[in-house]
Amino acid sequence: MNDEYQSINCDDYESLELACQHNYILKLELRDGEKFEGIATELKFTKGVEYLLVDQAGKTISLRLDHILSFSHPEIGTVVVSLSD
């Protein structure tokens, strides 16, 4: 996978912000095919890269936003993440 960060679509970012504000349990699929669930807790910007922090059984996982293929929750539906140009 390309190491250069690509930002995601603004609407997709706003859906992740909403998920964090309400600590939604998200079903996530990464671009490499990995799938898991976790509680969305925070969006973080570090060294030019944006991350979603997810709590999974008390362990915090940091996911680059451009590595997320899709996420879903009943309140926001299923979002297929679009990368910005």
Side-chain angles (χ1 to χ4, degrees), residues 19-77:
C20 290
Q21 289 169 355
H22 296 284
N23 293 118
Y24 287 157
I25 297 172
L26 296 179
K27 291 184 180 182
L28 296 138
E29 182 174 356
L30 303 183
R31 294 187 186 277
D32 67 4
E34 183 180 356
K35 296 179 184 181
F36 61 92
E37 282 188 14
I39 301 169
T41 59
E42 182 181 352
L43 289 169
K44 190 174 183 176
F45 186 79
T46 304
K47 297 180 182 176
V49 179
E50 295 170 301
Y51 296 89
L52 170 65
L53 301 184
V54 176
D55 182 297
Q56 190 178 48
K59 180 181 175 187
T60 300
I61 298 169
S62 181
L63 302 171
R64 273 178 52 152
L65 298 189
D66 62 342
H67 288 184
I68 300 171
L69 176 64
S70 66
F71 59 92
S72 64
H73 182 275
E75 293 293 321
I76 54 178

